[in-house]
Amino acid sequence: MLALSLAACSSDDAVENNGNGKFTQGEGFIGVNILMPTEGTGTRANDDLNNGKEDEFEVKNATILFFHGDDEANAVYYKSEIIGEQWSEDFENDESGEFEDPSNTEGKEKTRITSTSTKAVKIDDMSKMPTDKIFAYVVVNVNESKLNTIAEGTKFSEFSKNVLASTPAVLGGNLKGEIGEGGLLMTNAPVSASAGGNVASQGVVYTAVEIHKDKIMKTEAEAKSNPAACIYVERASAKVTVENAIDDTKSNIDMNGQTVAFEVVGWQIINTEPQFYNTRQSEPTEWLDYFSEHHDKTTYPNTLYRFVARDYFVPTLPDDNHTLAYRTYFGKDLQYDKNATLENTVAVDAAANWLAVTDAKTHMPRAFVPENTFDVQRQISQNTTQVALKVKFNGGKDFYTISNDAALYGSETDVNNAITAKVQTIYKVDKWVKDAAQELADAKSVSVTGAVAAAVKTSETGKDDLGYTISVTFTGASYDDLTDETKSAWKAIKAEAETAYTVALYKGGMSFYNVRIKHFGDFETPWSAAFVNKAYETTPGINSTDYIYANNEANYLGRYSVVRNNWYDIKLASIKKLGSAEPKDVKADPTPDDQVEEDQYISVHVHILPWVLRTQNVEI
């Protein structure tokens, strides 16, 4: 499942001492088993479980926090214990050389989980052990999150919503895929007590895990042989990679009758959450019976209810009579039900900010991304974490485009000639020139002809709206000889004509695209223009997402989002059209994540956990 599985296990044995374990005096030990994450088959057609790189599940330290109470939500903080700082005595160093890891640039041995390891957590004074239920929460690679320092008496329901800054120092990784010395932060994952998939899950979703007190032992050795709970943890960040899966270097874009070659220069993550809850907030009571009426139920009947997995986790512990646990697939972030204030809303066009296309074998480079989810009403560009792509055309040489014109112009002379021809056909311009020439001819008693020319402005960077200026000249007379009234009319006509067309400059041949990251995507939440709410056309005041999604949460909730511990692999399938000439800022972009127009981004296939790898095929 997740980056790590900390699994300690339940038992049906009778509990002694009024529910306080087998003894109440002296020291006690709780066994905690730590398992290496294993690749395997997910419960959905779009699940592809993949461990990722070794530094993505490396353990630097871990702390277990104990809460006590009648139930998880109302349990209060009791104490914490460090269960691992120096892991070398428990985990092997990777000396085999079989695991090629580009992230290990210094060639040093790395301590990582390579086999099952059991830790025993010591309780110094059993007489102080609470008599009600004990719940456990694990923090792996604490870094600067301060998750292991909380006030006594804090309710778990409050603690789980501690707000942390989405900084590399807290998450452990950054948008350039670098992992800090402290490793990636991991915390308890919410899991369901009953299955979903082909049925709506009926079980409770729990995060803090009850410790079975009959498994608190007198000695460390006994504790290691008798684990006391099953705890699953997940990374606090998501992971993104971008692959070029296009077979050749030719686009579908023509210049002078020739198909234009392209090169994907780089990518970066934009529009990210500045904060996150320390624990993923799953809301099963709202979501358990959601399914898409458009999902292929005949071919994929076991993936009908998408928020809880159909198959449970199977820890590989001997004689394990553990409580069944099922993956949950979504969560609420801090700005879930409001238009979000996000960071990095526009790609920074500096060479150091762009990551190279990911190698399909090593899956490097990568990016570690904060969780970002939202409801269907807010499934719009300004709320959605995106991948910005930078693609080079025309061999890296400048070219221009003009609005409503499919041609690409490779020189300033060519685009000036083209925009001049267009401006000359504008009725107001053509009429004024002819009338002004006649006015001059009458005044001078000579033959006069007039001509309009357009020239694009210059720029050192790409521009979607470069701008151009218009000038008028006469043969046989001068513009200065015109009446003030005629000149005044020209100024108004000129200003209007200079905005009639949009000229774009693709500096260095660079074109920019934004790809919105899908979570459930087209598999479990399919969408097409045929599904839109046609009432939009006749109902005043209806907003754009009501039109696009008919405000249908069951059909579309989670179609787009970034959820922690998911690996989103963006595969570029084809390039159908030019993007923008400059990076696009999405800060206030209300465009729905799906469009009615056929030329928008299509086809994003998703795979989540140990990372669940979610692959997204994109045509742009």
Side-chain angles (χ1 to χ4, degrees):
M1 159 196 155
L2 315 129
L4 257 206
S5 276
L6 272 106
C9 302
S10 66
S11 170
D12 296 326
D13 294 343
V15 178
E16 303 172 14
N17 295 320
N18 296 317
N20 204 34
K22 295 187 174 183
F23 59 94
T24 59
Q25 300 297 321
E27 294 180 343
F29 292 86
I30 300 175
V32 180
N33 284 283
I34 300 175
L35 304 180
M36 177 181 174
T38 55
E39 297 175 358
T41 302
T43 66
R44 288 168 157 72
N46 66 336
D47 273 4
D48 181 4
L49 306 187
N50 192 304
N51 292 338
K53 314 307 296 178
E54 64 174 356
D55 59 352
E56 294 166 3
F57 58 89
E58 188 176 8
V59 175
K60 304 290 187 157
N61 60 71
T63 301
I64 186 166
L65 285 68
F66 294 108
F67 297 78
H68 71 94
D70 294 332
D71 55 49
E72 174 188 302
N74 294 302
V76 297
Y77 175 65
Y78 162 51
K79 66 177 302 182
S80 62
E81 297 285 349
I82 294 174
I83 57 174
E85 285 185 315
Q86 302 300 323
W87 295 85
S88 57
E89 74 275 16
D90 295 316
F91 302 110
E92 301 170 12
N93 287 326
D94 180 22
E95 300 174 346
S96 65
E98 296 176 358
F99 194 110
E100 181 182 355
D101 185 9
S103 64
N104 190 357
T105 56
E106 298 179 3
K108 295 180 179 178
E109 296 176 0
K110 284 193 174 182
T111 300
R112 63 186 180 95
I113 304 172
T114 56
S115 60
T116 300
S117 174
T118 304
K119 298 292 290 184
V121 180
K122 184 170 73 170
I123 305 299
D124 291 325
D125 187 351
M126 288 297 297
S127 67
K128 296 181 180 179
M129 174 72 71
T131 57
D132 47 11
K133 294 179 180 178
I134 303 292
F135 298 88
Y137 184 91
V138 171
V139 181
V140 178
N141 299 335
V142 174
N143 299 322
E144 295 183 9
S145 67
K146 312 301 183 189
L147 286 178
N148 60 338
T149 54
I150 63 173
E152 186 173 353
T154 301
K155 279 189 176 182
F156 180 78
S157 56
E158 298 170 357
F159 165 77
S160 70
K161 287 190 175 181
N162 277 356
V163 175
L164 305 177
S166 299
T167 63
V170 175
L171 288 172
N174 64 21
L175 297 181
K176 293 185 179 180
E178 298 160 337
I179 297 178
E181 293 183 359
L184 294 179
L185 175 66
M186 310 174 204
T187 62
N188 277 37
V191 295
S192 174
S194 72
N198 59 338
V199 296
S201 176
Q202 302 298 313
V204 173
V205 171
Y206 60 93
T207 303
V209 178
E210 184 179 356
I211 295 290
H212 293 269
K213 292 182 179 178
D214 61 293
K215 294 293 189 179
I216 301 177
M217 299 298 177
K218 273 284 190 182
T219 69
E220 184 175 355
E222 286 180 296
K224 287 185 176 182
S225 300
N226 294 274
C230 285
I231 304 173
Y232 301 94
V233 302
E234 63 185 1
R235 300 172 183 88
S237 58
K239 172 182 168 180
V240 175
T241 52
V242 177
E243 296 182 44
N244 183 4
I246 304 174
D247 291 336
D248 55 38
T249 60
K250 295 290 185 177
S251 66
N252 294 329
I253 301 165
D254 290 341
M255 177 183 283
N256 300 324
Q258 299 294 318
T259 302
V260 181
F262 72 93
E263 175 190 347
V264 181
V265 176
W267 60 279
Q268 59 181 275
I269 300 295
I270 64 168
N271 227 28
T272 59
E273 270 283 4
Q275 296 177 309
F276 69 103
Y277 290 127
N278 68 332
T279 305
R280 178 161 56 93
Q281 301 297 309
S282 184
E283 299 288 345
T285 55
E286 298 181 28
W287 305 334
L288 291 183
D289 60 352
Y290 282 4
F291 68 89
S292 170
E293 61 186 291
H294 307 302
H295 178 60
D296 187 348
K297 306 168 189 64
T298 302
T299 307
Y300 303 106
N302 292 324
T303 60
L304 183 62
Y305 297 89
R306 62 187 179 272
F307 289 92
V308 177
R310 180 174 63 91
D311 296 331
Y312 57 84
F313 305 131
V314 185
T316 56
L317 297 177
D319 303 320
D320 177 22
N321 183 26
H322 67 283
T323 302
L324 298 185
Y326 300 83
R327 291 184 183 90
T328 58
Y329 284 91
F330 200 57
K332 285 187 175 181
D333 81 351
L334 284 91
Q335 304 186 80
Y336 174 84
D337 57 356
K338 58 180 67 71
N339 278 343
T341 300
L342 303 182
E343 297 181 324
N344 315 305
T345 62
V346 59
V348 179
D349 193 18
N353 289 82
W354 296 95
L355 298 174
V357 175
T358 300
D359 179 86
K361 180 180 179 181
T362 64
H363 286 112
M364 297 285 281
R366 62 198 170 179
F368 298 110
V369 183
E371 184 171 61
N372 178 21
T373 66
F374 34 82
D375 59 19
V376 168
Q377 183 180 348
R378 293 163 182 84
Q379 197 161 274
I380 58 178
S381 183
Q382 70 188 62
N383 295 328
T384 308
T385 297
Q386 305 181 29
V387 171
L389 296 171
K390 186 177 185 179
V391 180
K392 181 169 66 177
F393 292 92
N394 197 34
K397 295 178 288 187
D398 293 356
F399 66 90
Y400 302 81
T401 63
I402 302 174
S403 56
N404 302 318
D405 184 343
L408 276 64
Y409 300 96
S411 72
E412 186 175 317
T413 299
D414 289 343
V415 74
N416 284 344
N417 289 339
I419 194 68
T420 294
K422 292 177 182 295
V423 167
Q424 287 173 343
T425 64
I426 296 174
Y427 174 76
K428 288 183 179 180
V429 172
D430 181 60
K431 184 176 187 305
W432 183 91
V433 170
K434 289 178 179 177
D435 289 347
Q438 187 61 53
E439 177 185 313
L440 291 171
D442 292 343
K444 299 288 186 179
S445 300
V446 294
S447 177
V448 178
T449 58
V452 170
V456 295
K457 297 178 181 179
T458 59
S459 174
E460 294 302 315
T461 61
K463 294 288 185 182
D464 284 321
D465 189 0
L466 180 63
Y468 56 92
T469 58
I470 298 173
S471 60
V472 60
T473 57
F474 297 93
T475 58
S478 170
Y479 173 86
D480 294 335
D481 295 329
L482 292 169
T483 65
D484 290 342
E485 182 181 3
T486 302
K487 291 178 183 177
S488 180
W490 171 244
K491 290 178 181 179
I493 291 170
K494 176 178 183 292
E496 184 178 341
E498 287 177 342
T499 60
Y501 299 94
T502 300
V503 177
L505 166 61
Y506 289 80
K507 196 71 176 178
M510 297 301 178
S511 178
F512 299 87
Y513 302 82
N514 287 356
V515 176
R516 300 159 191 174
I517 297 178
K518 291 182 178 179
H519 181 62
F520 289 124
D522 295 330
F523 174 66
E524 288 174 311
T525 53
W527 179 92
S528 80
F531 302 157
V532 301
N533 180 7
K534 300 302 182 183
Y536 177 81
E537 299 169 0
T538 58
T539 306
I542 193 169
N543 68 39
S544 56
T545 50
D546 283 343
Y547 172 43
I548 296 293
Y549 303 113
N551 205 24
N552 192 316
E553 298 269 314
N555 277 351
Y556 304 116
L557 180 62
R559 175 168 166 79
Y560 292 84
S561 279
V562 169
V563 180
R564 68 184 72 189
N565 209 64
N566 286 255
W567 174 358
Y568 300 92
D569 185 37
I570 312 297
K571 292 183 183 292
L572 304 182
S574 69
I575 294 182
K576 300 172 61 178
K577 59 187 179 67
L578 281 173
S580 300
E582 57 188 306
K584 179 183 178 183
D585 193 344
V586 299
K587 184 175 183 178
D589 185 353
T591 307
D593 283 332
D594 288 290
Q595 295 293 304
V596 177
E597 291 81 2
E598 295 296 331
D599 64 345
Q600 298 299 317
Y601 302 123
I602 10 177
S603 184
V604 179
H605 176 56
V606 187
H607 289 281
I608 297 181
L609 280 163
W611 298 97
V612 175
L613 173 62
R614 295 187 176 269
T615 302
Q616 180 171 328
N617 297 311
V618 180
E619 297 180 7
I620 57 178

